[in-house]
Amino acid sequence: MKIKSANFVISNSNYKKCPPADYPEYAFIGRSNVGKSSLINMLTGRKSLAKISSKPGKTQLINHFLINENWYLVDLPGYGWAKVSKDAKAKWSVMIEEYLMNRTNLCCLLILIDSRLPPQKIDIEFITWAGTIGFPLTLIMTKCDKLSKGKTQANLSALKKELKTKWAELPPIIMSSTISKMGRDEILEFIESVNKSFNENV
Ligand code: GTP
Ligand code: MG
């Protein structure tokens, strides 16, 4: 799919203030610093559409971007940031849970996982929670430019093994890098196919 336009629409902390739920929507979630905002910039080909930082905790709100005037990408704040207070964590959970549970046009939750790390408890817990609720999920391994192929594959295999202890069928997993643009075509093709079925069903 060609990206003809990509525009920031609105940031907010309340799902009720999100744009009308009229277009198919894809939300990026994952640990702080995993590369959610960077991936949005890589996919859209706009360097600073979503704000990024080398320090975790940059994205704090629900951010909507309208792509090609007919689908939304959503950048969410990350989980698992150690420096956040208990109170802030509780607020994050409420904000994200309410958004995820009430956003009727949400077609897929894209969960980003850092390919440099062995399976992290917090990611497994989040994937398990999201899977139990029944969200359509896709996992995206980020920063695949960082480690050797062998080490990246070892982390991927360990993640699959861990997930297989809970799930008979694994969600699709896409490897990505914002440096080499690995995964860009695959993610956009996936979104294009889901957009088609969304539009056939309205
Ligand atoms: P929060 O908003 O804090 O939750 O973080 P985030 O998940 O949005 O991460 P962000 O996109 O801000 O990126 C965090 C850091 O990782 C930045 O320094 C990025 O440049 C870097 N980064 C993101 N993706 C990649 C990648 O594919 N490869 C490399 N080498 N660095 C990346
Ligand atoms: Mg971010």
Side-chain angles (χ1 to χ4, degrees), residues 30-39 51-60 75-79 112 116 142-146 176-180:
R31 285 188 327 124
S32 281
N33 209 243
V34 69
K36 302 173 291 295
S37 304
S38 304
L39 190 62
K51 292 195 180 87
I52 68 159
S53 168
S54 55
K55 287 190 198 127
K58 180 69 182 171
T59 309
Q60 296 278 343
D75 193 14
L76 295 172
Y79 53 75
L112 276 62
R116 296 172 301 174
T142 64
K143 308 190 184 185
C144 290
D145 54 280
K146 287 271 194 177
S176 80
S177 160
T178 59
I179 306 291
S180 68

Side-chain angles (χ1 to χ4, degrees), residues 62-83:
I62 302 166
N63 298 287
H64 274 78
F65 300 94
L66 180 61
I67 316 298
N68 290 352
E69 305 288 335
N70 60 15
W71 57 279
Y72 289 116
L73 268 183
V74 177
D75 193 14
L76 295 172
Y79 53 75
W81 182 29
K83 282 185 188 155

Side-chain angles (χ1 to χ4, degrees), residues 2-23:
K2 239 187 150 177
I3 303 295
K4 294 178 212 133
S5 63
N7 295 299
F8 169 72
V9 184
I10 192 170
S11 287
N12 63 72
S13 59
N14 186 336
Y15 78 92
K16 288 182 184 155
K17 293 184 191 154
C18 289
D22 44 6
Y23 295 132

Side-chain angles (χ1 to χ4, degrees), residues 158-177:
L159 177 72
K160 284 183 178 170
K161 197 173 163 195
E162 180 81 32
L163 292 175
K164 275 182 188 159
T165 63
K166 297 187 170 74
W167 307 102
E169 208 181 312
L170 297 187
I173 304 179
I174 299 176
M175 311 303 280
S176 80
S177 160

Side-chain angles (χ1 to χ4, degrees), residues 12-202:
N12 63 72
S13 59
N14 186 336
Y15 78 92
K16 288 182 184 155
K17 293 184 191 154
C18 289
D22 44 6
Y23 295 132
E25 181 158 316
Y26 304 84
F28 284 23
I29 202 158
R31 285 188 327 124
S32 281
N33 209 243
V34 69
K36 302 173 291 295
S37 304
S38 304
L39 190 62
I40 287 180
N41 292 341
M42 187 269 261
L43 290 178
T44 56
R46 309 289 192 276
K47 257 192 179 163
S48 33
L49 184 65
K51 292 195 180 87
I52 68 159
S53 168
S54 55
K55 287 190 198 127
K58 180 69 182 171
T59 309
Q60 296 278 343
L61 296 167
I62 302 166
N63 298 287
H64 274 78
F65 300 94
L66 180 61
I67 316 298
N68 290 352
E69 305 288 335
N70 60 15
W71 57 279
Y72 289 116
L73 268 183
V74 177
D75 193 14
L76 295 172
Y79 53 75
W81 182 29
K83 282 185 188 155
V84 169
S85 68
K86 260 195 179 169
D87 192 37
K89 273 183 196 159
K91 275 193 189 142
W92 182 93
S93 299
V94 172
M95 174 171 92
I96 301 298
E97 244 182 86
E98 283 190 349
Y99 161 75
L100 294 176
M101 298 298 225
N102 291 291
R103 197 65 183 157
T104 51
N105 59 332
L106 185 63
C107 292
C108 186
L109 187 55
L110 297 135
I111 305 179
L112 276 62
I113 312 278
D114 192 329
S115 69
R116 296 172 301 174
L117 305 174
Q120 300 290 297
K121 191 166 167 260
I122 193 157
D123 289 328
I124 302 290
E125 280 172 3
F126 186 79
I127 298 167
T128 306
W129 175 80
T132 308
I133 289 175
F135 291 117
L137 303 180
T138 290
L139 307 187
I140 300 184
M141 307 297 287
T142 64
K143 308 190 184 185
C144 290
D145 54 280
K146 287 271 194 177
L147 294 185
S148 68
K149 254 191 182 171
K151 284 184 181 155
T152 305
Q153 282 303 320
N155 287 338
L156 175 66
S157 302
L159 177 72
K160 284 183 178 170
K161 197 173 163 195
E162 180 81 32
L163 292 175
K164 275 182 188 159
T165 63
K166 297 187 170 74
W167 307 102
E169 208 181 312
L170 297 187
I173 304 179
I174 299 176
M175 311 303 280
S176 80
S177 160
T178 59
I179 306 291
S180 68
K181 295 195 168 46
M182 179 199 283
R184 185 174 188 270
D185 292 348
E186 206 178 332
I187 296 168
L188 289 178
E189 272 166 28
F190 165 71
I191 290 175
E192 189 173 28
S193 72
V194 180
N195 281 350
K196 262 190 198 149
S197 36
F198 180 95
N199 292 325
E200 278 162 15
N201 291 324
V202 284

